[in-house]
């Protein structure tokens, strides 16, 4: 640790509500926090003893780094930014979540593979560079009366999602086939397809927050843009009971990807109510919507887990007691 007190770096490409909450929570726990953009960091083997430079830390290193956001960019730019996080871990700096876990969660195909490998219920998924293969999947699913969703391999907040297959119901579009779109643009020449699970109306999904291997809060996201229930797409947030089925599925998903904290998106499983389906796992999860329906301070819970579980320091009693009272 540094001589002038505990210093935490917050890696983010945009400061605002989330970083403000984190900085306040860390300050209340005796730590100072400084935001920096991974795009402004560099590897420099001539500078200082460590070989990397982080803005605001001079020739020293932070005592830990909380990853709040990584800006998009070229493959090379993102590789370098993740390389900085890998380097920090090699230097013994706790990184929350670390680069390997983020790489697993940001790649939807790897997320699906790991969920399947660890026995976490998730819809059937296909990922390939072949448009011909994707078309065969679409036709086979349509012949069985099912639809699929195509998603960008990298993406969030419900952007780029399209529902494909036979249109159900009545009207002019009933029975027509929504075809596979060209794989350029958002899809970057990759088809990531997930079986669409027909649900009750109005539709909803769950977002469960997992911190340090514990499911701490849940909400239902209702409505939004058509069938996409992201908060960023206009869905409303409602408190949800965090029952054992939701909690255990979310915990298993976060564990499968090796995440310190995660926002896990789930939907009801029409075949087994006791095993909800995990759609996605967010390793750089926002929590503003969830905080609006959660009684305890989420930023405080994140700070407690970083400081106590990852760094071996005592947690602040107040927030820990509030969380314990919910379980």
């Amino acid at each position: 640790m540094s001589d002038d007190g505990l210093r935490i770096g917050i890696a983010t490409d945009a400061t605002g509500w989330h970083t403000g909450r984190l900085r306040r929570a860390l300050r209340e726990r005796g730590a100072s926090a400084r935001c920096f953009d991974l795009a402004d960091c560099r590897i420099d083997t001539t500078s200082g003893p460590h070989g990397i430079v982080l803005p605001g830390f001079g020739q020293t290193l932070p005592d830990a780094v909380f990853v709040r956001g990584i800006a998009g960019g070229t493959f090379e730019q993102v590789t370098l930014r993740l390389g900085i996080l890998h380097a920090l871990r090699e230097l013994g700096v706790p990184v929350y979540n670390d680069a390997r876990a983020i790489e697993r969660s940001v790649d939807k195909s790897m997320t699906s593979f790991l969920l399947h490998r660890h026995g976490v219920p998730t819809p059937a998924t296909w990922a390939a560079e072949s448009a011909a293969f994707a078309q065969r999947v679409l036709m086979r699913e349509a012949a069985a009366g099912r639809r699929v969703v195509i998603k960008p391999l990298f993406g969030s907040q419900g952007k780029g999602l399209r529902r494909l297959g036979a249109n159900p119901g009545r009207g002019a579009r009933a029975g027509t086939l929504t075809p596979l779109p060209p794989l350029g643009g958002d899809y970057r020449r990759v088809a990531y397809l997930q079986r669409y699970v027909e649900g009750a109306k109005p539709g909803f999904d769950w977002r469960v927050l997992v911190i340090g291997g514990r499911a701490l809060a849940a909400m239902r996201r209702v409505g939004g843009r058509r069938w996409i229930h992201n908060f960023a797409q206009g869905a409303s947030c409602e408190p949800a009971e965090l029952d054992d089925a939701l909690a255990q599925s979310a915990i298993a998903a976060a564990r499968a990807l090796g995440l310190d904290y995660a926002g896990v998106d789930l939907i009801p499983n029409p075949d087994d109510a006791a095993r909800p389906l995990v759609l996605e796992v967010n390793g750089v999860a926002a929590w503003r919507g969830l905080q609006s329906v959660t009684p305890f301070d989420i930023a405080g819970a994140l700070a407690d887990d970083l400081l106590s579980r990852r760094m071996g320091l005592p947690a602040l009693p107040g927030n820990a007691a509030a969380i314990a009272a919910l379980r």
Side-chain angles (χ1 to χ4, degrees):
M1 295 183 189
S2 60
D3 293 335
D4 55 351
L6 194 65
R7 300 191 305 166
I8 308 298
I10 301 176
T12 181
D13 58 327
T15 57
W17 185 88
H18 290 88
T19 54
R21 289 293 186 106
L22 277 174
R23 293 182 70 179
R24 185 182 70 184
L26 289 164
R27 186 170 60 249
E28 289 172 348
R29 289 154 177 79
S32 63
R34 179 182 292 273
C35 295
F36 66 91
D37 193 332
L38 287 166
D40 297 327
C41 301
R42 64 183 185 273
I43 290 176
D44 183 349
T45 60
T46 69
S47 177
H50 308 298
I52 64 171
V53 178
L54 277 60
F57 291 93
Q59 293 191 350
T60 66
L61 294 174
D63 297 304
V65 168
F66 187 107
V67 182
R68 174 62 211 120
I70 302 174
T74 66
F75 179 77
E76 290 80 4
Q77 287 175 312
V78 174
T79 298
L80 178 56
R81 293 164 194 171
L82 289 168
I84 296 292
L85 298 180
H86 280 297
L88 286 166
R89 180 178 178 177
E90 290 295 319
L91 291 166
V93 177
V95 180
Y96 187 100
N97 289 303
D98 70 21
R100 187 182 182 200
I102 291 172
E103 287 166 350
R104 289 175 164 195
S105 65
V106 76
D107 174 356
K108 291 185 177 66
S109 64
M110 180 54 64
T111 296
S112 294
F113 166 77
L114 289 170
L115 293 176
H116 175 72
R117 183 172 185 269
H118 288 267
V120 181
T122 189
T125 303
W126 304 265
E129 295 184 43
S130 168
F133 171 78
Q135 183 65 35
R136 290 197 298 273
V137 170
L138 174 59
M139 298 306 295
R140 186 174 67 239
E141 292 293 291
R146 296 187 291 258
R147 292 186 283 179
V148 299
V149 176
I150 185 169
K151 305 179 182 182
L153 193 66
F154 306 133
S156 61
Q157 299 183 334
K159 296 176 182 177
L161 274 62
R162 296 183 63 177
R163 193 166 49 184
L164 311 176
N167 292 292
R170 302 176 179 177
R173 298 190 64 204
T176 62
L177 186 73
T178 302
L180 183 77
L183 295 182
D186 290 338
Y187 308 112
R188 304 293 182 92
R189 312 305 306 170
V190 170
Y192 173 86
L193 303 172
Q194 196 169 59
R195 181 174 289 162
Y196 179 70
V197 179
E198 303 287 347
K201 308 298 183 193
F204 72 93
D205 67 7
W206 290 289
R207 162 61 66 92
V208 177
L209 181 67
V210 178
I211 300 177
R214 299 174 62 197
L216 295 185
M219 68 177 177
R220 283 175 26 129
R221 300 184 296 190
V222 181
R225 185 170 64 85
R226 297 173 292 132
W227 49 275
I228 302 172
H229 307 305
N230 294 75
F231 182 59
Q233 298 286 348
S236 61
C237 301
E238 301 176 352
E241 178 187 358
L242 186 54
D243 60 25
D244 285 343
L246 271 182
Q248 293 308 313
S249 290
I251 290 168
R255 184 186 303 120
L257 273 66
L259 292 161
D260 291 308
Y261 78 102
V264 183
D265 298 338
L266 307 98
I267 57 173
N269 185 343
D271 299 319
D272 187 350
R275 303 186 77 215
L277 297 169
V278 175
L279 290 180
E280 295 186 9
V281 185
N282 192 323
V284 190
W287 65 88
R288 189 166 189 170
L290 184 57
Q291 184 65 82
S292 70
V293 296
T294 299
F296 65 88
D297 178 21
I298 291 174
L302 291 163
D304 282 337
D305 188 55
L306 169 61
L307 298 176
S308 61
R309 185 178 60 84
R310 291 297 308 275
M311 301 181 70
L313 300 172
L316 194 71
N319 208 43
I323 292 170
L326 295 173
R327 300 296 292 167

